[in-house]
Amino acid sequence: MTTELLIILAAAVVALAYGGISIRWLLAKPQGSGEMQAISLAVQEGAAAYLKRQYTAISVVGIVLLGVIYYFLGTYMAVGFAIGAILSGATGFIGMNISVRANSRTAEAAKSGMSPAMDVAFRGGAITGMLVVGLALLGVAGYYAALKMMGVDDLVALHSLVGLA
């Protein structure tokens, strides 16, 4: 494995670690009054219903696309597509879950002033960004590393990542 690839994988791990630490930090913040918590729970339930419906539809389309990609473009590209789809879905699910939980915590922090509220809001939003970056790097660099370790040619490995036949 090259030094560059190790650096990229390390950056992915750092981004995911920051996301995990930030999630713990955010969830440790006070949730607010009972009324704020009730509203937050209702938003969480609505977001969960939305994601369930959206991911059900996307899964059907994704499975069909996976079959088409496998048939026309081969196994490596199909596996790359599946990795990207799964990690993208995980990012969306975790991001939505954390974002709706950050809302009442931001409102509660605002009782102490604008600065604490901005800290909670910014860090809550940064979690999704870090997960996108971390999982994307991990997916692409990790899959490339796996292909190289299996002895796949450079050009085939790169084409498997960018969708070229």
Side-chain angles (χ1 to χ4, degrees):
M1 210 177 308
T2 66
T3 303
E4 293 86 356
L5 191 53
L6 288 173
I7 291 170
I8 293 167
L9 289 170
V13 170
V14 168
L16 294 173
Y18 175 82
I21 291 166
S22 294
I23 288 171
R24 257 199 261 158
W25 177 86
L26 179 75
L27 294 180
K29 293 290 180 192
Q31 297 180 47
S33 67
E35 186 178 9
M36 291 164 75
Q37 290 180 37
I39 293 169
S40 180
L41 183 60
V43 172
Q44 288 175 41
E45 289 173 1
Y50 166 77
L51 284 177
K52 181 179 178 186
R53 185 174 182 128
Q54 181 183 36
Y55 281 19
T56 299
I58 289 173
S59 295
V60 171
V61 173
I63 290 169
V64 170
L65 280 174
L66 180 65
V68 169
I69 291 168
Y70 174 77
Y71 182 78
F72 287 106
L73 302 174
T75 303
Y76 295 139
M77 246 182 257
V79 170
F81 172 80
I83 290 170
I86 290 166
L87 293 179
S88 177
T91 300
F93 180 82
I94 296 167
M96 175 75 87
N97 203 321
I98 293 302
S99 294
V100 298
R101 291 173 190 269
N103 292 338
S104 67
R105 288 166 169 85
T106 301
E108 179 64 23
K111 291 178 180 178
S112 300
M114 183 66 96
S115 182
M118 289 299 290
D119 288 343
V120 173
F122 180 80
R123 201 140 173 204
I127 290 168
T128 302
M130 284 296 147
L131 290 176
V132 167
V133 169
L135 289 175
L137 284 175
L138 185 64
V140 172
Y143 186 47
Y144 179 79
L147 289 171
K148 292 306 295 171
M149 288 161 65
M150 293 174 6
V152 173
D153 177 70
D154 277 340
L155 195 57
V156 173
L158 289 173
H159 285 183
S160 297
L161 296 172
V162 296
L164 298 174

